[in-house]
Amino acid sequence: MYAGYHISNNMGAGGRMSDPSEGKNILERVPIDPPFTLSDLKKAIPAHCFERSVIRSSYYVVHDLIVAYVFYFLANTYIPLLPTPWAYLAWPVYWFCQASILTGLWVIGHECGHHAFSDYQLIDDAVGFVLHSALYTPYFSWKYSHRNHHANTNSLDNDEVYIPKRKAKVAVYSKLLNNPPGRVFTLVFRLTLGFPLYLLTNISGKKYGRFANHFDPLSPIFTERERIQVVISDIGILAVLYATKLLVEAKGAAWVTSMYLIPVLGVHMFFVLITYLHHTHLSLPHYDSTEWNWIRGALSTIDRDFGFLNRVFHDVTHTHVLHHLISYIPHYHAKEARDAIKPVLGEFYKIDRTPIFKAMWREAKECIYIEPDEDSEHKGTYWYHKM
C-alpha cells in the first residue's frame, strides 16, 4: 500500500523553521521541570475551544462517510474496467485514499472515547462504538486502555503502550536487526502487525502479572466496572466479522479484501505510524516512579507534520501535545487551542517537521533503548540511545 506513497517529500516541510517553538535543533532534549501548571495552560485557551457541538462533530462524520463512499463507488465502478497494468496502479491509489479518509473516521471515534464529540456521553459512546467496530477496533476496550495511557504517559512503570526497553533488556534479535534490512523488516512488522498484536497479546504494553489482551473481559487491563463494556466491544467486533463473512459469500473474498480489508489494514498502519512518531523521539524523556508525575509525562510527546494529511486526519498529527494535556477539546478547536498555549509552553513544546519517511527511519535507527545520563542527578529520567 505504501508503495503509492511517492509524495512523501511533501509530508512534512523538511527544514522549515519559521516557528520559533521548533528551535534550531529539533533533536535537542526538552526540559523536564515545567514552571507552569495545567491550570495556567487552560487559562490561556479561549473558552469556546472547550465547547463541543454534536451538530458540528456529526458534520465531520457525515463528510468523511460521503468521501469514503465516493472512493468506494469510483473504485468499484471503474477499476474493473481498466486494462490490467492500469488496474494494478489504480488499486494502491484507492487503498491509500480510502485508508486516509477512514483514518479520519477512526480519529473521530477516538475523540468519542475522550468525550470530545458532544456533551452527551451516550452519543459519544454510540458513535465511537459504531465507527471503531467497523474499523476492527474494540471501542470500549481500547477507550479504557487508552485512558490509562493518558493518565500515565511515559511512565516506565505504568504507561500502557510504547514502553521502551533498557539496554540490558534489548533482545538479541533487536541487535541482529540493527541494520538497514533489519530496520525495514522491523518497520513493516510494526506497521502491519503492531496494532492487532497489541490488541491480542498486549505487545509493547504494560507488563501485568498474567496474560493480558483487549478482548478478555477479565484481563488485568480493565477494572470490574469496565468488564461488561469489554463484552459489548467483543460483540461489536463479532458482528463486523459476521457481516464480513456475509460479504465474502455475496461478493467474493478478493472483492472484500480489495474494497474493505486492505483499507482497514491501512487505517491500522496509519494509526501505528502516527502514534509511534508522537512517542518516539530523541528529545523525549521517560521516567521511572521516582521522577514521574502527570504533567512531566504529558509534556513528553511531540507534534508531527503529515502535510496535507493533517487535515484529513482531523489535525490529530500536529496537536498531540495539546491532546495529552487536555484531551476533551474537539479537533475543530485543537489548532487554535494549541497556538494559544504555545507561548506558555515555550521550549516545552516541539513539532518535528521532518518528512515522515525520513523521520520514521531515523527513529527506528536512533531510538533503540533508554538509559539515564550517568552524570545527571535525575537518575529516574531516561533518554533514547542507539546501539
Side-chain angles (χ1 to χ4, degrees):
M1 169 187 155
Y2 281 81
Y5 230 108
H6 59 280
I7 47 180
S8 63
N9 285 336
N10 294 324
M11 297 174 58
R16 189 174 73 198
M17 289 292 183
S18 59
D19 188 336
S21 67
E22 296 167 29
K24 292 182 179 180
N25 179 8
I26 195 60
L27 300 181
E28 183 179 347
R29 292 175 176 179
V30 297
I32 62 174
D33 289 313
F36 49 81
T37 65
L38 180 61
S39 178
D40 296 329
L41 296 172
K42 288 182 176 179
K43 289 175 183 176
I45 299 173
H48 70 266
C49 289
F50 295 95
E51 296 174 0
R52 300 162 292 197
S53 166
V54 66
I55 295 175
R56 189 169 181 183
S57 296
S58 298
Y59 159 78
Y60 288 100
V61 175
V62 173
H63 171 275
D64 286 0
L65 287 173
I66 290 172
V67 174
Y69 177 79
V70 169
F71 288 152
Y72 155 76
F73 175 81
L74 292 174
N76 189 51
T77 304
Y78 295 107
I79 293 181
L81 303 179
L82 294 174
T84 300
W86 291 106
Y88 287 146
L89 294 175
W91 278 117
V93 172
Y94 165 72
W95 295 332
F96 172 79
C97 293
Q98 191 69 290
S100 299
I101 202 68
L102 292 180
T103 299
L105 284 167
W106 194 99
V107 168
I108 294 175
H110 154 262
E111 195 162 273
C112 291
H114 284 289
H115 197 18
F117 186 85
S118 76
D119 291 329
Y120 310 98
Q121 186 68 63
L122 183 61
I123 292 177
D124 287 24
D125 284 341
V127 173
F129 175 73
V130 172
L131 292 178
H132 272 195
S133 296
L135 297 171
Y136 279 101
T137 302
Y139 171 72
F140 290 106
S141 309
W142 191 83
K143 169 186 172 179
Y144 292 130
S145 68
H146 186 63
R147 177 202 61 191
N148 294 339
H149 163 61
H150 271 258
N152 299 282
T153 309
N154 280 34
S155 164
L156 293 174
D157 302 306
N158 294 305
D159 201 354
E160 280 291 337
V161 71
Y162 290 117
I163 303 172
K165 290 181 171 60
R166 296 194 61 172
K167 186 176 183 179
K169 294 187 177 181
V170 174
V172 173
Y173 65 80
S174 295
K175 299 175 183 178
L176 294 175
L177 294 173
N178 188 38
N179 51 67
R183 281 191 283 276
V184 170
F185 171 81
T186 301
L187 287 168
V188 170
F189 181 87
R190 182 190 300 275
L191 291 174
T192 56
L193 296 178
F195 190 49
L197 287 176
Y198 170 63
L199 295 176
L200 289 165
T201 70
N202 200 40
I203 190 172
S204 82
K206 179 181 177 180
K207 303 305 179 187
Y208 291 94
R210 67 175 183 85
F211 179 74
N213 73 28
H214 282 71
F215 300 98
D216 176 9
L218 300 178
S219 173
I221 297 172
F222 310 113
T223 64
E224 285 296 326
R225 69 176 186 84
E226 295 165 353
R227 302 196 192 285
I228 185 62
Q229 290 177 303
V230 174
V231 174
I232 295 172
S233 296
D234 292 347
I235 293 171
I237 297 298
L238 289 172
V240 173
L241 281 168
Y242 182 69
T244 303
K245 173 180 176 293
L246 295 180
L247 267 178
V248 169
E249 291 173 355
K251 306 288 287 186
W255 186 92
V256 173
T257 300
S258 298
M259 299 303 303
Y260 175 53
L261 294 180
I262 292 179
V264 169
L265 173 62
V267 172
H268 294 179
M269 292 172 71
F270 273 133
F271 167 67
V272 171
L273 175 61
I274 292 166
T275 54
Y276 172 69
L277 292 178
H278 279 157
H279 291 283
T280 309
H281 198 267
L282 284 171
S283 71
L284 302 179
H286 286 74
Y287 304 96
D288 67 19
S289 57
T290 66
E291 299 218 19
W292 182 89
N293 62 48
W294 183 84
I295 197 163
R296 276 185 171 183
L299 289 168
S300 300
T301 65
I302 191 166
D303 285 352
R304 298 285 187 163
D305 184 1
F306 276 65
F308 72 95
L309 287 176
N310 290 332
R311 184 174 180 181
V312 179
F313 296 160
H314 301 303
D315 299 312
V316 71
T317 45
H318 60 163
T319 61
H320 191 250
V321 176
L322 166 79
H323 176 66
H324 263 272
L325 291 163
I326 310 167
S327 60
Y328 51 86
I329 291 179
H331 71 268
Y332 40 83
H333 293 316
K335 287 194 295 182
E336 182 181 0
R338 174 203 63 195
D339 293 342
I341 66 172
K342 280 166 68 174
V344 182
L345 292 174
E347 59 185 340
F348 285 83
Y349 173 80
K350 275 200 172 187
I351 180 168
D352 190 338
R353 299 189 186 277
T354 304
I356 294 306
F357 282 122
K358 182 178 179 181
M360 184 171 58
W361 185 260
R362 181 189 66 202
E363 283 23 310
K365 180 181 180 181
E366 304 285 340
C367 301
I368 305 299
Y369 67 91
I370 53 166
E371 288 291 335
D373 291 338
E374 293 182 1
D375 57 349
S376 172
E377 61 183 25
H378 296 283
K379 297 303 181 184
T381 302
Y382 293 72
W383 302 93
Y384 273 114
H385 297 271
K386 63 181 178 179
M387 295 300 293

